Amino acid sequence: MNSLKTLLLVGILGVSAMECSKDDSGKSGTPAETFDPVPVAKTNTTKIYMHYMPWFETKESSPDGQWGFHWKMGNKNPDNMDANGRREIAAHYYPLIGPYHSGDKDVVENHLLMMKYAGVDGVLINWYGTYDLNDYRINRDNSEALIAMLDEVGLEYAIVYEDRFLQNIVDAGLAPATVTAAKADMAYMQNNYFNDAEYIKIDGKPLLLNFGPITLTNPDNWTNAFANLNPKPHFLTLWYESAEAGANAAGEYSWVYQDNTHLSNFYANRVPTLGFSMGSAYPGFNDYYVQGGGGAAIGWTIPHGSTLDQTLAMATASGTDYLQLITWNDFGEGTMIEPTVEFGYSYVEKIKTFAGVSGSNVFDEISRLFELRKQYKGNASVQSKLDRAFGFFASMQPDKAIEQLNEIE
């Protein structure tokens, strides 16, 4: 029995999980209450995907007991807190739920429900591969915590593969060649992701994006990497990079760069030459690398404010059928759509409007679910009621979810 999809009325009706499970075997007991995810009704037919970073670690989650790089970079200490109770993190902006562990089930629940009610169709996961080097394995594990809940919420996913780290695998003696390492990663994806019902398919092929190419920069590399895959993926490179994958590439996707002129040029001049393209929209860009001691500055910024409105309007004008939102939570580069102290829910509200989702915003109630999860951690009775609230949210019954939350408070 799926612990999320089938939510037992434990604590609500005063029965135990064992008594409920007896009902499954035909004996007397309280019947289980099942919540199947219901799609959000929206008027915009564009497929809207959210680029997602699974790389955040806290002291409690990190194997070395230290805050992960993406919260502290080189010189910040999240153990330090200001008068408002906010931790010192390596970012210009502060997540509304505070700094978190990407593999935390409560965090994943919060993020996916926010996306669902904003009209997002799926998540494009930034993925470092399978090898146990640096934080690559941890990122994979966090990704799979996200993947495990997608069917409960009713969202899709695909992988954005980072080939830039393949040489590190070879240098560490974990693979004899970069293409060999890539083939191992591809085999893992085929065996564990590509056949999932929730995995995004284009023309029957699993969608695979590459952030580059950066290491595998000629078509023969990718032909070799995909040799054992059946079917071959619907493979997209970064804009203007598909020649490096040759016939293996089905098209390109745009990214954030300097100003909106580059995006408008992509739509006007590049897209007509491609068989397939994916547009992009973003709220701004403001990296923290120099301030955080985390590396050299990117060298340019894009102001927050009207940028998301502008890039969403450009997507509409372009007629793109597929749109990537950049990003849910790259706090280090300041491209986050995730609700923050600085911008509140304004960005998810704008996505909701773009998607054509009707109804009142319930983003603050989804945040309340997260807060109650943490407040009553370890309280099985309350957590069972919160499971029920989650089920109502996922099945598009937000009024009942809010009633459940109100009963707890």
Side-chain angles (χ1 to χ4, degrees), residues 368-376 383 386 405 409:
R368 185 154 67 113
L369 170 60
F370 176 82
E371 292 163 2
L372 290 171
R373 288 285 196 195
K374 295 310 181 188
Q375 181 180 345
Y376 291 98
Q383 292 296 328
L386 295 174
L405 297 180
E409 293 193 317

Side-chain angles (χ1 to χ4, degrees), residues 228-393:
N228 298 326
L229 301 185
N230 185 23
K232 300 292 190 292
H234 189 87
F235 187 54
L236 305 183
T237 70
L238 271 173
W239 49 1
Y240 307 101
E241 301 293 334
S242 59
E244 295 183 359
N248 298 290
E252 299 173 359
Y253 65 95
S254 57
W255 197 247
V256 52
Y257 184 67
Q258 289 189 345
D259 57 53
N260 296 348
T261 302
H262 294 81
L263 183 56
S264 62
N265 287 340
F266 176 76
Y267 288 138
N269 303 320
R270 185 63 171 173
V271 168
T273 72
L274 299 170
F276 184 94
S277 62
M278 183 180 291
S280 58
Y282 41 83
F285 186 98
N286 188 11
D287 74 86
Y288 200 80
Y289 295 128
V290 170
Q291 297 93 327
I298 298 295
W300 45 267
T301 61
I302 299 175
H304 283 258
S306 61
T307 296
L308 184 58
D309 298 292
Q310 293 167 1
T311 53
L312 289 174
M314 292 167 67
T316 299
S318 75
T320 183
D321 293 325
Y322 296 87
L323 179 68
Q324 179 173 203
L325 301 174
I326 306 170
T327 63
W328 178 253
N329 57 344
D330 193 338
F331 283 88
E333 295 191 351
T335 59
M336 67 288 123
I337 291 169
E338 176 181 354
T340 60
V341 170
E342 293 76 15
F343 304 111
Y345 302 105
S346 61
Y347 291 150
V348 287
E349 289 169 355
K350 289 178 186 295
I351 300 303
K352 178 175 179 283
T353 299
F354 172 80
V357 178
S358 61
S360 301
N361 290 330
V362 295
F363 300 120
D364 57 340
E365 298 293 346
I366 294 170
S367 290
R368 185 154 67 113
L369 170 60
F370 176 82
E371 292 163 2
L372 290 171
R373 288 285 196 195
K374 295 310 181 188
Q375 181 180 345
Y376 291 98
K377 182 179 180 180
N379 186 322
S381 176
V382 173
Q383 292 296 328
S384 176
K385 295 177 182 180
L386 295 174
D387 287 345
R388 191 166 186 249
F390 166 75
F392 283 130
F393 275 127

Side-chain angles (χ1 to χ4, degrees), residues 114-300:
M114 289 281 181
M115 292 183 210
K116 181 183 180 80
Y117 276 81
V120 172
D121 296 290
V123 187
L124 303 178
I125 305 171
N126 191 272
W127 197 78
Y128 287 12
T130 60
Y131 285 87
D132 193 2
L133 180 68
N134 300 326
D135 63 347
Y136 309 165
R137 181 72 173 269
I138 293 172
N139 289 347
R140 189 200 75 184
D141 292 344
N142 290 343
S143 298
E144 292 178 354
L146 181 81
I147 291 168
M149 198 177 290
L150 286 167
D151 68 324
E152 309 298 339
V153 180
L155 298 183
E156 302 177 299
Y157 77 103
I159 296 298
V160 182
Y161 184 55
E162 292 272 12
D163 74 311
R164 74 177 69 211
F165 301 115
L166 291 172
Q167 189 59 51
N168 296 349
I169 301 299
V170 175
D171 293 344
L174 299 176
T178 55
V179 172
T180 306
K183 290 182 78 168
D185 288 338
M186 296 299 158
Y188 186 91
M189 283 188 269
Q190 177 163 262
N191 293 333
N192 294 278
Y193 304 154
F194 288 166
N195 293 320
D196 283 356
E198 295 76 36
Y199 200 90
I200 300 165
K201 311 295 195 307
I202 307 291
D203 296 330
K205 298 178 179 181
L207 176 65
L208 177 64
L209 285 70
N210 174 247
F211 200 80
I214 293 175
T215 299
L216 304 183
T217 55
N218 69 69
D220 288 345
N221 291 154
W222 292 104
T223 299
N224 196 348
F226 295 157
N228 298 326
L229 301 185
N230 185 23
K232 300 292 190 292
H234 189 87
F235 187 54
L236 305 183
T237 70
L238 271 173
W239 49 1
Y240 307 101
E241 301 293 334
S242 59
E244 295 183 359
N248 298 290
E252 299 173 359
Y253 65 95
S254 57
W255 197 247
V256 52
Y257 184 67
Q258 289 189 345
D259 57 53
N260 296 348
T261 302
H262 294 81
L263 183 56
S264 62
N265 287 340
F266 176 76
Y267 288 138
N269 303 320
R270 185 63 171 173
V271 168
T273 72
L274 299 170
F276 184 94
S277 62
M278 183 180 291
S280 58
Y282 41 83
F285 186 98
N286 188 11
D287 74 86
Y288 200 80
Y289 295 128
V290 170
Q291 297 93 327
I298 298 295
W300 45 267

